[in-house]
Amino acid sequence: MQIARGLKALRTGAQLTQSEVAKRAGVSVGTVNRYETWQDRARLRIPTVKAIADSCGATADELETLVDLVRNQENGWWMEHPAVPEVMDPLMSFEDVAEYEHVFANALVPGLLQTPRYALALHEAQGVRTEAQVIASKVDARIRRQAILERSPALHLWVVLDDAVLRRHVGGAAVMSEQIDHLIAMADRPNVDIQILRFSAGAHAAGSGGHFLLLGRDDERDPLSSMNVVYLELHRRGLYLDEPTDVHNYKIMFDYLRSQAADTSTSLDLLAAARREFTP
């Protein structure tokens, strides 16, 4: 999305048509259109991006930013991992360059905070007829993704968990006890905030909507380096939104969810209470 939006912004700024850019760059109009509309994102190539950007008069800094984005997508461990579906490739690329990630989880613990046994229980439930080796590979991919929380500078993760997440027995009492212990430990980190949206809060800003992620990086000096994207998790697929209006609406929604949820201190108490419910 960043690459597509950046290329389109360069072309628009140069007041060129896609046909004119294609002719200057020595590529087809279809290629220019695919790169600008974020199609075939797993097959973006640095020489093509450079040719299109150069034809639009990109500065050295703009060109370097675009090339770094493409290189990041090409070199990510997830690109070759057999258990990472193609729809997740962009999400992990976005996380790799994001400064913050805001998550609303209404049914399950978000992937970045799952324990291996919790993730295993989920994949076993979702893939009843799937081979154990395939499921193990999926769990491995999910846990490897969590390394993003260990990087420097750290990704700031802010999560609003619906009360239902703590009441759904995934994998049994022992797995849930371990998972809630992990949430408590993660909430103690300076780059992780967890709030619980209690049932008593009643109707809330997300309405009947489901799990969503808001990823961002803000750079006022270099807009091309900025990023704001929403990821909606659907059954066996995902939907990415980066139109400014969509992103703004989800930002407002998340702000309201944070205000409707218990504060981080109270949420720790709620997590501890939920943990006691799974203690024999």
Side-chain angles (χ1 to χ4, degrees):
M1 280 184 174
Q2 273 184 284
I3 299 169
R5 188 174 289 279
L7 291 174
K8 187 174 182 179
L10 287 172
R11 180 177 62 79
T12 302
Q15 298 183 328
L16 296 172
T17 65
Q18 288 188 345
S19 296
E20 290 170 331
V21 170
K23 185 174 181 180
R24 291 185 179 191
V27 298
S28 69
V29 176
T31 296
V32 175
N33 183 62
R34 284 197 303 274
Y35 275 60
E36 285 192 6
T37 56
W38 202 44
Q39 297 176 32
D40 297 331
R41 55 188 174 272
R43 295 193 292 274
L44 294 177
R45 295 292 177 259
I46 289 176
T48 304
V49 169
K50 290 179 67 176
I52 293 174
D54 279 334
S55 71
C56 298
T59 66
D61 287 341
E62 290 171 335
L63 190 57
E64 182 181 1
T65 297
L66 288 169
V67 169
D68 284 345
L69 289 171
V70 179
R71 188 174 290 118
N72 177 67
Q73 287 193 334
E74 290 180 341
N75 296 336
W77 64 265
W78 53 87
M79 295 297 291
E80 302 299 329
H81 199 294
V84 178
E86 183 178 339
V87 71
M88 289 291 288
D89 288 346
L91 174 60
M92 295 188 187
S93 293
F94 291 142
E95 284 181 337
D96 202 46
V97 297
E99 292 178 342
Y100 61 85
E101 180 170 332
H102 296 165
V103 185
F104 171 62
N106 67 331
L108 303 169
V109 173
L112 288 179
L113 295 176
Q114 291 176 10
T115 64
R117 290 208 296 169
Y118 185 95
L120 176 61
L122 286 180
H123 282 299
E124 287 179 336
Q126 295 166 0
V128 179
R129 299 182 179 181
T130 304
E131 295 179 359
Q133 184 176 356
V134 174
I135 289 179
S137 183
K138 290 179 180 290
V139 173
D140 173 72
R142 181 155 299 179
I143 301 307
R144 286 187 67 179
R145 177 183 160 214
Q146 297 174 1
I148 196 68
L149 295 174
E150 308 292 339
R151 76 171 192 208
S152 181
L155 174 78
H156 185 190
L157 177 66
W158 197 314
V159 177
V160 174
L161 290 178
D162 192 283
D163 228 341
V165 175
L166 304 178
R167 311 303 167 191
R168 186 176 301 281
H169 293 213
V170 175
V175 172
M176 287 302 298
S177 295
E178 180 183 65
Q179 177 61 73
I180 295 175
D181 282 341
H182 182 63
L183 290 174
I184 293 172
M186 294 300 291
D188 194 45
R189 294 191 177 193
N191 63 314
V192 177
D193 289 291
I194 299 177
Q195 291 181 259
I196 306 301
L197 183 62
R198 288 176 285 195
F199 286 140
S200 59
H204 53 77
S208 59
H211 189 115
F212 71 83
L213 285 69
L214 176 62
L215 298 106
R217 184 180 70 195
D218 302 316
D219 190 338
E220 295 181 357
R221 296 171 301 175
D222 183 6
L224 191 59
S225 292
S226 295
M227 175 193 71
N228 284 283
V229 61
V230 175
Y231 173 69
L232 305 180
E233 193 163 291
L234 308 176
H235 182 60
R236 297 189 182 281
R237 61 185 295 263
L239 179 64
Y240 295 87
L241 307 174
D242 74 335
E243 288 297 325
T245 299
D246 291 329
V247 172
H248 175 73
N249 288 339
Y250 273 90
K251 282 185 174 182
I252 294 297
M253 186 190 305
F254 192 77
D255 284 343
Y256 274 110
L257 286 169
R258 285 190 291 196
S259 69
Q260 294 166 333
D263 61 40
T264 53
S265 178
T266 302
S267 292
L268 279 174
D269 294 335
L270 294 173
L271 285 170
R275 170 65 173 82
R276 289 193 291 272
E277 293 181 14
F278 291 102
T279 303

